[in-house]
């Protein structure tokens, strides 16, 4: 973790308005430094030096999707030793630390994270993670805004905006998308974040398949201490994994006329809690839709067009589940098709009840 960009003690740092459902990363960064205008009157961008590698090639392709279970925030920055203790917890599979803080955009206070595009994309909702242009824009020094916040602020793609932290660089909006984290409004790359004076390692995302989220929250709180805010992203609404996977369920259902996306969502919840527990199960099932490898060989599809049908990738696994249900006669007898997925009447009843609950929730 980086400790070479510590915010000075003159910068007052505070976390504001924390509730169980939302976290404001309102980290005050101190007074902005005077803006040095370039020859054209606009703020001169931070010098990054020559880079002979094309931007698109500097962003690693998406190889996985990570479901964030817990978001931890420490206003003064997370101690590296404590982060290592969290990484060492049993069942913790992945941890990422990011810089962040509250800045001003269009006269409004917004919350921003500074991230490595290649690493962080896996932690965002699957549809966002898959959109290469967003991450290329981020690597190129532009910023990405959450869809809702961009609409609220009237932001326009390709337009330049002054974003004020401890400094006030002018940054171009490179894209909008669901970011999947409660009250995180913007993403910038690490270089742009340094130019704004964001707090290093202010937030930590933790993925721990197989550990109950409430238990993970308690363990992270114990390690980080009283100054930390720790949020269960499965109960925070905006960070729920069901919402992250929603678009994938809806798109996959269109490949089987008559199949409701709610059935896929129900199976995804029962089988893996929308990607949290991807196996292997005691029977050897794998992935977010818990396919047996032998069944996958017959029904697995390349849903994202990357040339590989990956049992662990929700972009492939969810369309494959639709494919299997369709082949099992979902259009004619849904009960029979779900029974083919898992040969138990209790399972079918549970899936159909959940599907009905999803239909009511999203009607």
């Amino acid at each position: 973790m980086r400790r070479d960009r510590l915010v000075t003690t003159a910068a007052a740092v505070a976390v504001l308005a924390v509730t169980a459902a939302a976290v404001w990363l309102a980290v005050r960064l101190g007074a902005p430094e005077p803006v040095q205008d370039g020859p054209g009157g606009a703020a001169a961008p931070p010098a990054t030096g020559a880079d002979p590698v094309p931007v698109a090639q500097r962003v690693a392709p998406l190889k996985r999707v990570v479901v964030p279970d817990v978001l931890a925030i420490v206003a003064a920055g997370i101690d590296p030793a404590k982060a290592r203790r969290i990484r060492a917890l049993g069942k913790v599979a992945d941890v990422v630390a990011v810089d962040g803080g509250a800045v001003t955009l269009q006269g409004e206070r917004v919350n921003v994270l500074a991230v490595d595009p290649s690493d962080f994309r896996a932690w965002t909702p699957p549809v966002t993670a898959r959109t290469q242009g967003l991450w290329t824009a981020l690597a190129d020094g532009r910023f990405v805004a959450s869809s809702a916040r961009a609409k609220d602020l009237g932001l326009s793609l390709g337009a330049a905006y002054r974003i004020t932290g401890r400094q006030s660089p002018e940054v171009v909006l490179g894209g909008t998308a669901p970011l999947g984290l409660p009250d995180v409004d913007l993403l910038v790359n690490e270089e742009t974040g340094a130019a704004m004076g964001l707090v290093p390692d202010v937030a930590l995302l933790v993925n721990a398949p197989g550990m109950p989220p409430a238990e993970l929250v308690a363990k992270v709180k114990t390690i980080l201490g009283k100054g930390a805010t720790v949020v269960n992203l499965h109960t925070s609404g905006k960070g729920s994994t069901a919402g992250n996977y929603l678009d994938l369920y809806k798109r996959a259902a269109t490949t089987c006329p008559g199949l409701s996306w709610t059935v896929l969502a129900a199976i995804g919840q029962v089988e893996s809690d929308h990607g949290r527990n991807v196996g292997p199960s005691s029977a050897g099932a794998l992935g977010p839709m818990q396919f047996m490898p032998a069944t996958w060989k017959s029904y697995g599809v390349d849903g994202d067009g990357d040339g590989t049908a990956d049992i662990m990738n929700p972009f492939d696994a969810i369309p494959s589940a639709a494919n299997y249900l369709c082949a099992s006669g979902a259009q004619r007898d849904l009960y029979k098709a779900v029974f083919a997925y898992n040969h138990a009447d209790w399972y079918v009843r549970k899936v159909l009840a959940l599907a009905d609950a999803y239909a009511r929730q999203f009607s």
Side-chain angles (χ1 to χ4, degrees):
M1 295 184 186
R2 302 166 311 283
R3 287 289 157 190
D4 54 328
R5 301 202 305 267
L6 290 177
V7 175
T8 66
T9 56
V13 180
V15 175
L16 307 181
V18 176
T19 72
V23 175
W24 293 90
L25 297 180
V27 180
R28 294 175 180 170
L29 305 174
E33 297 179 5
V35 176
Q36 300 296 323
D37 287 343
T48 57
D51 191 343
V53 181
V55 172
Q57 295 180 22
R58 298 205 307 268
V59 181
L62 181 67
K63 296 293 186 182
R64 60 188 181 133
V65 173
V66 181
V67 177
D69 296 315
V70 162
L71 169 66
I73 301 163
V74 176
I78 294 170
D79 182 272
K82 292 181 177 181
R84 287 194 293 271
R85 289 176 58 193
I86 293 171
R87 291 176 188 274
L89 289 173
K91 298 184 179 179
V92 167
D94 219 332
V95 172
V96 63
V98 292
D99 302 349
V103 296
T104 301
L105 172 63
Q106 298 286 81
E108 298 283 342
R109 179 61 64 96
V110 296
N111 303 306
V112 57
L113 298 182
V115 304
D116 179 322
S118 294
D119 291 339
F120 193 78
R121 66 186 301 180
W123 293 83
T124 61
V127 173
T128 303
R130 186 65 190 170
T131 306
Q132 181 70 21
L134 290 173
W135 307 103
T136 300
L138 209 58
D140 195 32
R142 289 169 278 174
F143 75 96
V144 170
S146 73
S147 303
R149 204 66 169 120
K151 182 178 180 180
D152 290 343
L153 295 174
L155 304 181
S156 300
L157 285 174
Y161 297 92
R162 195 173 300 284
I163 303 177
T164 303
R166 294 185 68 239
Q167 301 182 52
S168 299
E170 193 169 73
V171 190
V172 172
L173 176 61
T176 65
L179 300 182
L181 294 172
D183 297 292
V184 173
D185 303 307
L186 311 180
L187 299 179
V188 296
N189 67 21
E190 292 169 317
E191 292 77 13
T192 305
M196 293 176 184
L198 299 182
V199 179
D201 298 334
V202 74
L204 197 72
L205 287 169
V206 186
N207 165 252
M211 185 187 299
E215 178 184 341
L216 179 61
V217 166
K219 289 183 175 181
V220 172
K221 279 185 176 179
T222 298
I223 292 172
L224 294 181
K226 293 182 179 180
T229 297
V230 184
V231 179
N232 179 347
L233 293 176
H234 296 273
T235 60
S236 66
K238 293 181 182 180
S240 69
T241 52
N244 291 350
Y245 273 55
L246 180 61
D247 190 58
L248 291 182
Y249 294 132
K250 288 184 174 181
R251 285 197 291 166
T254 64
T255 65
C256 181
L259 175 65
S260 172
W261 68 266
T262 61
V263 175
L264 291 173
I267 290 174
Q269 179 174 333
V270 174
E271 295 290 353
S272 73
D273 191 12
H274 311 297
R276 281 199 70 245
N277 301 310
V278 294
S281 70
S282 57
L286 294 167
M289 302 306 279
Q290 288 291 279
F291 273 92
M292 295 297 293
T295 306
W296 181 263
K297 287 182 180 180
S298 299
Y299 296 98
V301 300
D302 176 15
D304 58 8
D306 67 355
T308 302
D310 182 356
I311 197 171
M312 304 299 291
N313 186 339
F315 292 96
D316 297 336
I318 293 173
S320 297
N323 182 41
Y324 183 69
L325 290 168
C326 215
S328 300
Q331 298 129 309
R332 301 181 300 276
D333 189 336
L334 184 58
Y335 193 101
K336 181 180 178 181
V338 177
F339 187 88
Y341 206 97
N342 189 326
H343 302 318
D345 289 306
W346 68 263
Y347 176 88
V348 179
R349 290 193 295 269
K350 184 172 184 177
V351 164
L352 296 183
L354 281 170
D356 184 59
Y358 277 118
R360 292 196 304 271
Q361 180 181 355
F362 290 93
S363 62

